[in-house]
């Protein structure tokens, strides 16, 4: 396992959540190909899940500034 910078993971979790919401909005537009946005959204969701697992393990060790439950906007 890489020595993860928890601040970078914190920022990435927030950015991925925002990107997922943005792509969800774009996928609903009549002027776009929703399949492209759905595929990107899925990839972001998979990565978000992976980062949340890492963050959760660091939270158990007491190494995070904000609990995961409060960090996630959609929880």
């Amino acid at each position: 396992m890489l020595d993860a910078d928890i601040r970078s993971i914190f920022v990435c979790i927030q950015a991925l959540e925002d990107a997922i919401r943005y792509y969800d909005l774009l996928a609903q537009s009549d002027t776009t190909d929703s399949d492209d946005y759905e595929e990107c959204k899925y990839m972001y969701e998979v990565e978000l899940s992976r980062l949340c697992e890492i963050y959760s393990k660091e939270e158990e060790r007491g190494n995070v500034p904000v609990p995961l439950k409060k960090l996630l906007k959609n929880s």
Side-chain angles (χ1 to χ4, degrees), residues 8-74:
S8 294
I9 293 173
F10 182 93
V11 169
C12 288
I13 287 172
Q14 290 178 319
L16 283 168
E17 275 198 307
D18 289 342
I20 290 167
R21 278 194 300 280
Y22 177 70
Y23 274 70
D24 193 37
L25 178 66
L26 290 176
Q28 295 173 20
S29 172
D30 293 336
T31 61
T32 62
D33 182 0
S34 65
D35 290 341
D36 290 341
Y37 293 110
E38 288 295 329
E39 184 177 337
C40 289
K41 190 175 121 181
Y42 172 75
M43 291 186 309
Y44 290 163
E45 288 170 340
V46 169
E47 189 62 21
L48 177 61
S49 176
R50 189 182 75 77
L51 290 176
C52 285
E53 286 180 31
I54 294 169
Y55 194 91
S56 179
K57 288 177 184 173
E58 290 299 315
E59 183 177 0
E60 290 173 6
R61 295 181 185 125
N63 296 332
V64 299
V66 177
L68 184 60
K69 187 171 185 167
K70 288 186 178 182
L71 175 62
L72 294 174
K73 296 174 188 170
N74 294 326

